[in-house]
């Protein structure tokens, strides 16, 4: 049987999809070494996957968490990533914006940009840009997905072929040095690949929980990404490793 604390950690990670070592140390009033031993045991027995600074639900190659869950988890981190990403977009840019909860936050931060053209497969993103009178928004067609209210499939991909852009803002299901950017949804992964092939610069947005995770569908290697914007919770050691591998990593500070 699992020790009571380990059982509670399993319950927490099943519900929240990830846990931080620092939070567990504080919650259970034990040492870092004790929590690390707990996580090592739980990983060995298939309950979770350890990443720098914590652990994630062992969902590699599997199902994507529900949109309703992704919409609220790590919300402060996503807001900070979005604000920093918006700084990389210039007035007059043409930008692909991929579907995702973090990319939606980026769209919310583009209200002050002038003369943008945004091409997106996410109706929520398109709708969020309507208040910007100088922004031209192009919504791609295709089969609509519940929850995300995004489109994908051959119709969407056929639409993408008509466009080229300065930049693409790409969501991330998972990112590792060896496997690059990966995603859970087959059709959306293909749309991401097509967007990447049609831009000058690719900007990936990934909160700390996406690092060390590999999803089922390969999108691209890290050598194809010009910048990845993450948050302050991504461990500095991990940031250094990705930078050493040649990836330009931008760390967004906590918003005040």
């Amino acid at each position: 049987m699992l020790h009571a604390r380990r059982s509670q950690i399993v319950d927490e990670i099943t519900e929240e999809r990830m846990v931080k070592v620092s939070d567990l140390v504080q919650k259970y009033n034990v040492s870092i070494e004790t929590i690390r031993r707990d996580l090592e045991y739980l990983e060995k027995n298939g309950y979770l996957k350890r990443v720098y600074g914590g652990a994630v639900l062992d969902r590699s190659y599997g199902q994507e968490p529900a949109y309703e869950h992704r919409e609220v988890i790590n919300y402060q981190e996503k807001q900070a990533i979005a604000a920093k990403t918006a700084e990389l977009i210039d007035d007059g840019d043409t930008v692909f914006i991929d579907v995702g909860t973090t990319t939606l936050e980026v769209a919310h931060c583009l209200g002050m940009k002038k003369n943008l053209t945004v091409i997106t497969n996410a109706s929520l993103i398109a709708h969020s840009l309507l208040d910007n009178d100088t922004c031209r928004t192009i919504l791609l067609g295709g089969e609509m997905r519940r929850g995300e209210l995004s489109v994908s499939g051959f119709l969407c991909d056929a639409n993408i072929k008509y466009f080229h852009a300065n930049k693409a803002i790409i969501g991330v299901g998972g990112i590792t040095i060896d496997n690059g950017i990966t995603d859970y949804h087959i059709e959306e992964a293909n749309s991401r690949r097509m967007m990447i092939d049609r831009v000058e610069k690719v900007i990936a947005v990934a909160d700390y929980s996406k690092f060390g995770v590999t999803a089922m569908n390969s999108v691209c290697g890290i050598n194809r990404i010009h910048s990845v914007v993450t948050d302050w919770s991504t461990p500095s050691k991990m940031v250094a490793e990705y930078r050493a591998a040649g990836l330009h990593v931008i760390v967004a500070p906590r918003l005040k």
Side-chain angles (χ1 to χ4, degrees):
M1 293 181 62
L2 288 176
H3 184 280
R5 183 180 60 251
R6 292 175 178 175
S7 179
Q8 290 174 18
I9 292 173
V10 170
D11 290 342
E12 183 172 347
I13 202 167
T14 300
E15 180 177 353
E16 299 297 333
R17 301 283 174 165
M18 68 86 55
V19 292
K20 292 183 185 179
V21 169
S22 58
D23 291 343
L24 296 175
V25 167
Q26 183 175 7
K27 180 175 182 177
Y28 295 106
N29 194 28
V30 295
S31 67
I32 290 177
E33 290 73 19
T34 295
I35 292 298
R36 285 176 176 166
R37 285 194 295 270
D38 287 343
L39 297 182
E40 287 173 1
Y41 175 87
L42 293 172
E43 181 180 49
K44 183 178 179 180
N45 287 274
Y47 290 100
L48 50 78
K49 177 180 175 63
R50 286 185 298 156
V51 297
Y52 282 110
V56 297
L57 189 66
D58 192 4
R59 61 178 187 265
S60 297
Y61 315 111
Q63 293 278 330
E64 182 179 37
Y67 180 83
E68 292 78 10
H69 179 81
R70 289 183 287 114
E71 189 177 22
V72 296
I73 193 170
N74 302 335
Y75 185 61
Q76 290 184 331
E77 288 84 352
K78 291 175 181 179
Q79 285 185 311
I81 290 169
K84 181 60 68 172
T85 302
E87 296 177 6
L88 305 178
I89 305 303
D90 299 316
D91 290 345
D93 272 346
T94 297
V95 187
F96 279 116
I97 303 184
D98 174 37
V99 60
T101 54
T102 308
T103 54
L104 177 58
E105 292 303 317
V106 175
H108 289 156
C109 293
L110 296 180
M112 300 302 293
K113 301 293 179 178
K114 303 296 184 182
N115 301 315
L116 294 181
T117 298
V118 173
I119 307 161
T120 184
N121 57 345
S123 62
L124 293 175
I125 288 174
H127 186 269
S128 73
L129 295 167
L130 292 179
D131 289 337
N132 185 338
D133 293 337
T134 73
C135 180
R136 183 185 186 191
T137 305
I138 299 170
L139 180 61
L140 300 166
E143 181 178 359
M144 183 164 284
R145 183 183 179 193
R146 290 181 175 85
E148 278 83 354
L149 298 181
S150 61
V151 297
S152 60
F154 77 94
L155 290 173
C156 178
D157 296 344
N159 284 176
I160 293 173
K161 291 179 181 179
Y162 286 105
F163 301 102
H164 293 273
N166 303 105
K167 296 161 186 171
I169 302 172
I170 300 296
V172 170
I175 179 172
T176 68
I177 292 174
D178 292 335
N179 296 324
I181 303 295
T182 53
D183 190 51
Y184 295 94
H185 193 275
I186 294 174
E187 288 81 8
E188 287 176 4
N190 192 60
S191 296
R192 286 186 176 96
R193 287 190 288 267
M194 295 186 68
M195 290 178 184
I196 288 169
D197 286 342
R198 285 161 174 77
V199 298
E200 299 169 8
K201 293 184 178 180
V202 180
I203 303 165
V205 290
D207 68 61
Y208 67 95
S209 69
K210 305 297 181 63
F211 285 82
V213 174
T214 299
M216 181 176 67
N217 302 288
S218 176
V219 175
C220 68
I222 61 170
N223 62 324
R224 189 63 185 87
I225 303 297
H226 294 84
S227 300
V228 60
V229 185
T230 189
D231 60 85
W232 67 91
S233 294
T234 304
S236 57
K237 182 179 179 181
M238 173 173 280
V239 170
E241 288 181 356
Y242 279 76
R243 286 174 174 164
L247 184 61
H248 181 220
V249 182
I250 300 171
V251 179
R254 188 191 298 269
L255 295 177
K256 296 180 180 179

